[in-house]
Amino acid sequence: MAEYLRRMPDGGEVFRRTTTVWSLLKLDPWLLGGLLVLAGFGLTVLNSAVDGSSAAIQRQSVYLMIGFFGMLVAAQIPVYRYARLAPWMYLVGMVALIAVLFIGVGAKGAQRWLSLSGFRFQPSEIMKLAVPLTVAWYLAKRSLPPNPKYVGATLILMGLPAVLIFLQPDLGTAILVAASGFFVLFLAGLSWRYILTAIAAVLALIWPLWSFVMKDYQRQRVLTLLDPESDRLGAGWNIIQSKTAIGSGGWSGKGYMQGTQTLLDFLPESHTDFIIAVLAEEYGLQGVLWLVLLYLFICLRGFWISYNAQSTYGRLVGASITLTFFVYVFVNMGMVAGILPVVGVPLPLVSAGGTSIVTLLAGFGILMAISQDKRQVN
Amino acid sequence: MAVDRNLLKDTNREGRVFADRLIVTLVIFAVMLGLIVLRYFHLQIVDHAIYATQSDQNRLQTQPLPPRRGLIRDRTGRLIAENEPSFVLSIVVERTEGLDDVIQRLKQIIDLSDEDVSAFQRRRPSTRPYAPVPLKFRISEEERARIAVNSHELPGVEIEAQLIRSYPLADLFAHAVGYVGRINERELETLPEGPYEGTFHIGKTGIEKYYETSLLGQAGVQTVETDARGRIMRVVDKTPPVPGKDLTLNLDADLQLAAAQALQGQRGAVVAIDPRDGGVLALYSSPSFDPNSFVNGISYKDYGELRDSPDVPLFNRALQGQYPPGSTVKPAIGLAGLHMGLVTPGSTVADPGWYTIPGDDRRYRDWVLRIRGRGHADRVDLHMAIAESCDVYFYDLARTMTVDRMHDFLQDFNLGARTGVDTTNERPGVLPSSEWKLQNRGRPWYPGETLSVGIGQGYMLATPLQLALMTSFLANRGYAYTPSLVAEFNGIASEAERLKLPDIEPSHWRAVIEGMEAVVHERSGTAHAMAKGLQYRVASKTGTAQVIGIAQDEEYDETEIAERHRNHGLFIAFAPIEAPTIALAVIVENGGGSSAAVPVARAVLDAWLANPGKGVMRNNVVVSNG
């Protein structure tokens, strides 16, 4: 009855909307608007980070165009098809992840890319979507909240790729992939008892993890995070410089293309992982707040779409994608500001780099599909 | 199974669970977002001042601007000491793709020692990322070109220019001008910090040391904006350095060259002074060395060779060499005799070839005794005594004058005291007196020693510079100027102190100078050989200084004595006689006698006087100015 009343006033609305261009394109105008503004803002900041290099801007623009096109395509696929596609996507991703360990290419001691006839891509990026889609597919079929058997299976589903990615090694992505699966589990109603037990277990695991599993460079990153000043010229350099860039921006910033930390190359990775420092330096806290508001708007819209999703599958997938997107933002902004370890997570849709853009926008394409799914069913 | 599962599925419950979880998620979401905003607020607002300062410190650097060291030119404007760009090879380690590869590659391209590499590794820890670390100093043009050609495979390799002192005439002015060297640790402790900010060299000897403060100039400072690699992007603020003052010397490269060529292969020294103003025209010590090798630190091996060479090239004979002046003091002593009324131009002394002090059998021999078996003539007057360098005449004069009166008179010629020339390491020589001997030897003066001093032997020692100054007094007939190496100091002519002898009758001067003229221009003169082809009249005096003591009645035979034990040859001269523009002193160590020194003097005098561009013309200028 409550369900009926809740939906009744929307009935006419829904009927009228089916005639709009948005429903024909199967896009959510608010989400699309937010993403477009973000992409534009990101390009502007990037332009300063690369010191006006038109080649870099062109490349990023192409990635964005591919990404938005990919989003459009992804939005056309009905939600139930994702449920069917998910396990296959997961399998392909797993094969690629195993392959990358043997024939992968990369730099700085990490093998992260597969090179297929000149086209390079990161299999771990597939998993960022495949894991939540697959876990949701697995759980949505079952009675929720999940019983221990399903929880165990889910943990294996998300744990396998996470371990493979961790072996590359790429700790940041491994955590994010595992997290995207966990979000689904959490939203599906994972018992608080399990969650608290898991937190206790993780805390208990920290010591053996630290002593035996973590590599030196990972430990170093943690230590550097705790006391970056201890190694001013070495490991702490990036964080010190990014904090200096952010802090010196103040409220209103140094002005567009005026960031000395960026222009004078003190800020490392200024066009990729550390691009938020460029924004903070040149636009000040104002700029940061605008960006945060933009992300907030996109996330809230994502949650709204998920909340209104027709199926459990749609709800789980939508909210997981949105949450993962937010975690990217949080981890990136946190690590550049020196409160999280530097784990190599790009700032969504602002950092230069094609794979992340395409994956993220494909994810939003799925969200759009979910947003239109409701109307189709009605 | 599928049906089974669907039966168990409670869609409404799932929706409620999801909604609950979403609310929890949103709360966590809000907390995380709040944390981030708080963190950025803290960095950007609360701690803004700290980071703003840090950012400025990052990009703004204060750099000292070392001043350009003053140039040194000879009297005709030829560069003696200049500053040449020198290139330093550095590596920005962060920009290399494998440091070892780059160093290996550099080793193939240029001469790079293991010491260079280990010094480089020692410098690295104190350098911040992206700042160049010096690998090798003094990169040659050729090496620079080779690095430039291969730069594509040498990422992170940089070459930087510095100004380094250079002495284009190399060994010609080494003793006259001195050299600069790297500031050593001992100097670093005592030097004031400000003026030497950014300067790595300091005058070590000679004019370079004496005029250090003027040559150095004043350091400037600039605040620059640099990038992370330390490259200067923009100069924010600048106080330019004040360049060091340029010096123009009285020295003449042509005269130096003439001296160097004439002394080639011999040990000796030449000092020539313009008696009209005390300007030192030539100051050369042979053998010399290349001062350039000292500028950036001489290798231990090369230094050892210089230091241990039996010819002691580092020893500045012109200023530090203290030699018995021998007969070159005779004109001055003759003048003293005339002035004191002990002799007249016409008075004579009997000369059997030796001299004895009344009441003593010891024979003081004249140098001609060995050659002629007798004296110069039955009776010798002052003219002959100077022209032929008669020892007996001066033995007699010295005895009657006594050593202390001789000392007092010669003291006015600045013998036995530093001349005060504007350079370092000058030695005072010795002008003995009975008091001096008592103080320094603890013994009373013996009459026989007076005779030795009368012919410039015994305790008497003088540097070539002192002898040149003495000759200047003679040339000017009674006065001279403190010798000065530097003529012009940033465009201002230096003023030399005028030194004066007591008033001496012109007839006495005439008598002595006629005697000195006869040395070359009369057939019997001891340096008559020099008269051949001479274009000017010269007043001079030869001298021979004993290196080893000759026992009484022992014969000195040049051919039998080891080269190192041969007598030193000396020669003083001024010319032209009536209006002298040059007064010089020459010593050739172990030359056997003055005959070794005369050609050296001739070469230098010719370079000055037989050259229409030199002394004669300058004389005219001075007259018109006067």
Side-chain angles (χ1 to χ4, degrees):
Chain A
M1 193 58 201
E3 190 73 5
Y4 176 73
L5 285 175
R6 190 172 65 80
R7 293 194 180 188
M8 252 327 268
D10 282 329
E13 191 77 36
V14 165
F15 181 76
R16 198 166 53 79
R17 272 197 188 175
T18 49
T19 61
T20 63
V21 63
W22 302 113
S23 60
L24 284 174
L25 290 170
K26 304 223 174 355
L27 294 175
D28 179 72
W30 296 103
L31 193 54
L32 180 66
L35 291 172
L36 283 173
V37 172
L38 178 62
F41 193 35
L43 271 182
T44 319
V45 177
L46 184 68
N47 188 43
S48 179
V50 298
D51 203 9
S53 152
S54 55
I57 292 301
Q58 275 170 19
R59 204 178 316 124
Q60 181 79 347
S61 306
V62 169
Y63 290 149
L64 283 168
M65 278 190 274
I66 294 171
F68 277 105
F69 181 73
M71 183 181 76
L72 187 65
V73 172
Q76 309 312 310
I77 301 169
V79 178
Y80 70 91
R81 279 205 192 277
Y82 282 108
R84 288 190 197 160
L85 269 170
W88 299 106
M89 197 171 156
Y90 182 87
L91 277 178
V92 169
M94 284 298 285
V95 169
L97 277 181
I98 292 165
V100 91
L101 289 179
F102 297 102
I103 57 165
V105 290
K108 294 177 188 171
Q111 293 190 332
R112 295 176 183 173
W113 284 274
L114 267 189
S115 189
L116 292 179
S117 59
F119 178 74
R120 273 156 60 114
F121 77 105
Q122 271 179 284
S124 56
E125 289 292 330
I126 299 178
M127 280 312 197
K128 283 177 179 172
L129 280 179
V131 166
L133 285 175
T134 310
V135 171
W137 159 78
Y138 178 78
L139 288 177
K141 292 190 293 187
R142 273 134 187 111
S143 173
L144 297 177
N147 66 30
K149 200 174 80 184
Y150 302 149
V151 172
T154 308
L155 287 177
I156 291 168
L157 270 183
M158 58 192 246
L160 279 179
V163 167
L164 287 173
I165 294 165
F166 174 74
L167 289 176
Q168 288 181 356
D170 185 353
L171 180 65
T173 310
I175 291 173
L176 284 169
V177 165
S180 65
F182 174 79
F183 293 148
V184 179
L185 200 52
F186 175 76
L187 292 162
L190 178 64
S191 158
W192 285 108
R193 214 178 54 213
Y194 292 146
I195 295 171
L196 293 174
T197 316
I199 289 172
V202 165
L203 288 176
L205 271 173
I206 284 179
W207 178 76
L209 203 68
W210 174 267
S211 305
F212 305 113
V213 181
M214 286 180 86
K215 300 214 167 172
D216 274 345
Y217 83 98
Q218 291 160 337
R219 266 181 242 162
Q220 196 56 48
R221 279 178 176 182
V222 177
L223 288 177
T224 300
L225 173 82
L226 295 176
D227 185 15
E229 319 289 323
S230 64
D231 188 11
R232 269 198 78 86
L233 302 183
W237 173 266
N238 289 13
I239 289 295
I240 290 169
Q241 295 304 335
S242 69
K243 276 166 69 182
T244 304
I246 295 167
S248 63
W251 169 251
S252 50
K254 295 177 184 171
Y256 186 51
M257 306 284 277
Q258 302 290 313
T260 52
Q261 287 284 104
T262 312
L263 289 179
L264 302 176
D265 287 338
F266 284 100
L267 187 65
E269 309 284 341
S270 63
H271 62 294
T272 53
D273 290 357
F274 281 72
I275 197 163
I276 183 72
V278 178
L279 170 84
E281 184 184 23
E282 299 192 344
Y283 295 80
L285 185 59
Q286 285 179 58
V288 174
L289 290 178
W290 279 113
L291 185 76
V292 167
L293 281 177
L294 210 47
Y295 281 128
L296 182 67
F297 174 79
I298 291 167
C299 288
L300 289 179
R301 186 65 192 171
F303 288 134
W304 181 249
I305 289 169
S306 312
Y307 179 69
N308 288 312
Q310 183 60 34
S311 61
T312 303
Y313 181 75
R315 278 199 290 268
L316 294 180
V317 167
S320 169
I321 286 172
T322 309
L323 207 45
T324 309
F325 174 79
F326 171 71
V327 167
Y328 275 45
V329 175
F330 176 77
V331 170
N332 179 274
M333 288 183 74
M335 78 180 194
V336 177
I339 51 171
L340 289 176
V342 181
V343 286
V345 172
L347 187 65
L349 298 185
V350 179
S351 289
T355 335
S356 133
I357 285 172
V358 172
T359 321
L360 284 163
L361 286 177
F364 281 111
I366 297 170
L367 255 176
M368 303 240 177
I370 293 166
S371 76
Q372 298 300 322
D373 182 39
K374 178 176 68 184
R375 281 99 192 183
Q376 277 182 331
V377 167
N378 287 347
Chain B
M1 272 301 282
V3 176
D4 205 26
R5 250 187 271 132
N6 282 334
L7 279 177
L8 289 168
K9 229 172 147 53
D10 179 346
T11 319
N12 276 344
R13 185 170 173 234
E14 279 180 17
R16 277 203 310 281
V17 168
F18 177 79
D20 288 349
R21 288 294 161 100
L22 198 58
I23 287 165
V24 174
T25 304
L26 281 173
V27 170
I28 297 170
F29 177 90
V31 169
M32 287 163 88
L33 211 58
L35 264 176
I36 287 291
V37 170
L38 212 66
R39 175 63 177 173
Y40 279 76
F41 176 82
H42 193 264
L43 286 176
Q44 299 197 273
I45 306 297
V46 180
D47 284 347
H48 169 64
I50 295 169
Y51 290 111
T53 313
Q54 208 161 311
S55 164
D56 281 348
Q57 276 171 358
N58 250 351
R59 66 186 183 97
L60 297 178
Q61 289 185 355
T62 316
Q63 295 183 327
L65 295 172
R68 179 186 65 83
R69 195 173 174 85
L71 303 176
I72 301 177
R73 294 189 174 87
D74 87 336
R75 66 188 300 124
T76 59
R78 283 168 291 204
L79 274 170
I80 308 301
E82 59 180 324
N83 307 299
E84 277 196 333
S86 163
F87 298 97
V88 180
L89 175 71
S90 309
I91 295 184
V92 179
V93 179
E94 286 74 11
R95 284 170 60 214
T96 61
E97 291 149 14
L99 179 62
D100 293 341
D101 293 347
V102 169
I103 288 176
Q104 280 311 315
R105 187 75 192 99
L106 278 172
K107 275 187 174 169
Q108 293 165 5
I109 298 171
I110 61 164
D111 182 26
L112 194 62
S113 71
D114 289 338
E115 285 165 37
D116 290 331
V117 176
S118 57
F120 166 81
Q121 296 289 7
R122 279 197 301 277
R123 282 179 209 116
R124 271 186 66 193
S126 54
T127 316
R128 64 178 190 167
Y130 293 107
V133 186
L135 176 62
K136 192 188 178 192
F137 299 93
R138 273 184 296 165
I139 295 289
S140 71
E141 282 291 336
E142 195 195 332
E143 287 176 321
R144 216 177 126 226
R146 273 195 239 142
I147 290 167
V149 166
N150 294 290
S151 61
H152 61 281
E153 46 178 34
L154 295 169
V157 173
E158 291 182 355
I159 292 175
E160 199 190 338
Q162 266 183 3
L163 280 180
I164 297 282
R165 198 62 153 177
S166 150
Y167 302 100
L169 298 181
D171 56 347
L172 208 49
F173 282 84
H175 289 295
V177 169
Y179 53 83
V180 301
R182 284 188 170 266
I183 297 173
N184 62 35
E185 279 170 35
R186 208 175 55 245
E187 287 160 339
L188 208 58
E189 283 167 17
T190 53
L191 280 179
E193 202 170 301
Y196 284 90
E197 202 78 58
T199 299
F200 302 102
H201 293 87
I202 189 170
K204 297 279 187 181
T205 64
I207 289 172
E208 291 275 28
K209 184 176 184 185
Y210 190 88
Y211 287 95
E212 173 64 23
T213 44
S214 313
L215 287 166
L216 174 66
Q218 276 178 304
V221 69
Q222 67 177 359
T223 307
V224 292
E225 188 176 270
T226 59
D227 67 4
R229 292 171 182 84
R231 282 204 205 112
I232 296 173
M233 311 302 283
R234 191 162 68 89
V235 177
V236 181
D237 184 42
K238 184 174 180 178
T239 308
V242 181
K245 293 189 173 74
D246 292 348
L247 302 181
T248 301
L249 304 180
N250 284 311
L251 292 157
D252 189 307
D254 292 328
L255 271 67
Q256 290 287 109
L257 187 63
Q261 284 170 344
L263 279 169
Q264 181 87 45
Q266 304 179 88
R267 295 179 305 280
V270 177
V271 176
I273 294 176
D274 186 335
R276 294 165 300 177
D277 56 12
V280 177
L281 302 174
L283 189 151
Y284 187 79
S285 174
S286 176
S288 189
F289 60 92
D290 184 355
N292 290 304
S293 56
F294 283 86
V295 172
N296 265 308
I298 187 167
S299 76
Y300 192 77
K301 181 174 150 286
D302 290 349
Y303 183 70
E305 271 173 25
L306 282 177
R307 186 195 51 205
D308 301 335
S309 162
D311 292 338
V312 277
L314 296 177
F315 181 59
N316 189 347
R317 292 170 165 81
L319 298 173
Q320 297 172 281
Q322 303 182 110
Y323 304 94
S327 304
T328 59
V329 293
K330 283 174 180 171
I333 291 173
L335 194 65
L338 290 169
H339 183 64
M340 295 172 193
L342 301 173
V343 293
T344 65
S347 65
T348 57
V349 171
D351 178 15
W354 70 84
Y355 187 77
T356 51
I357 300 171
D360 187 354
D361 308 342
R362 177 172 168 165
R363 285 184 171 186
Y364 292 88
R365 310 157 69 93
D366 192 294
W367 64 275
V368 297
L369 187 65
R370 183 175 59 85
I371 302 162
R372 300 183 195 164
R374 55 178 172 83
H376 294 272
D378 289 344
R379 297 200 69 83
V380 175
D381 64 1
L382 180 68
H383 185 85
M384 185 189 258
I386 293 175
E388 297 187 21
S389 200
C390 173
D391 290 342
V392 172
Y393 184 93
F394 285 96
Y395 289 147
D396 187 58
L397 178 55
R399 188 185 60 80
T400 53
M401 193 183 295
T402 73
V403 67
D404 289 335
R405 285 169 78 194
M406 201 150 54
H407 167 271
D408 292 349
F409 189 83
L410 292 179
Q411 202 169 32
D412 289 333
F413 284 86
N414 208 83
L415 290 169
R418 291 186 177 85
T419 63
V421 68
D422 47 350
T423 186
T424 58
N425 296 333
E426 189 193 5
R427 293 244 183 107
V430 175
L431 182 60
S433 65
S434 55
E435 193 191 330
W436 173 87
K437 195 187 170 194
L438 206 59
Q439 275 177 5
N440 288 276
R441 295 287 189 274
R443 298 234 183 94
W445 190 266
Y446 302 126
E449 291 169 341
T450 307
L451 303 197
S452 296
V453 175
I455 59 163
Q457 303 273 5
Y459 295 117
M460 194 172 187
L461 293 173
T463 65
L465 178 68
Q466 284 176 321
L467 294 181
L469 177 60
M470 178 186 77
T471 313
S472 299
F473 278 104
L474 297 171
N476 287 337
R477 282 82 164 164
Y479 66 92
Y481 297 92
T482 300
S484 57
L485 292 166
V486 171
E488 246 178 52
F489 200 149
N490 217 27
I492 301 159
S494 59
E495 282 203 18
E497 191 192 347
R498 190 180 154 115
L499 311 163
K500 232 183 124 6
L501 296 180
D503 285 332
I504 292 167
E505 271 191 42
S507 64
H508 296 162
W509 277 113
R510 230 177 1 258
V512 169
I513 288 167
E514 277 170 15
M516 290 180 75
E517 185 175 8
V519 171
V520 166
H521 296 286
E522 280 181 19
R523 192 166 294 275
S524 62
T526 48
H528 181 64
M530 181 177 155
K532 196 178 174 190
L534 201 62
Q535 295 174 25
Y536 43 86
R537 304 285 285 184
V538 56
S540 63
K541 184 68 194 82
T542 55
T544 302
Q546 282 180 10
V547 173
I548 50 165
I550 305 287
Q552 186 173 7
D553 294 331
E554 194 185 329
E555 300 253 313
Y556 173 85
D557 187 346
E558 200 176 290
T559 52
E560 283 179 13
I561 293 175
E563 197 263 344
R564 293 273 161 183
H565 292 163
R566 281 187 210 157
N567 291 340
H568 297 328
L570 292 105
F571 192 63
I572 62 165
F574 65 83
I577 292 176
E578 290 319 315
T581 61
I582 182 168
L584 61 70
V586 177
I587 174 152
V588 176
E589 280 182 18
N590 312 119
S594 60
S595 57
V598 171
V600 178
R602 170 76 191 263
V604 176
L605 289 172
D606 276 355
W608 183 248
L609 295 169
N611 184 340
K614 302 280 179 194
V616 181
M617 233 170 86
R618 193 177 144 79
N619 192 15
N620 294 340
V621 172
V622 167
V623 166
S624 66
N625 278 354

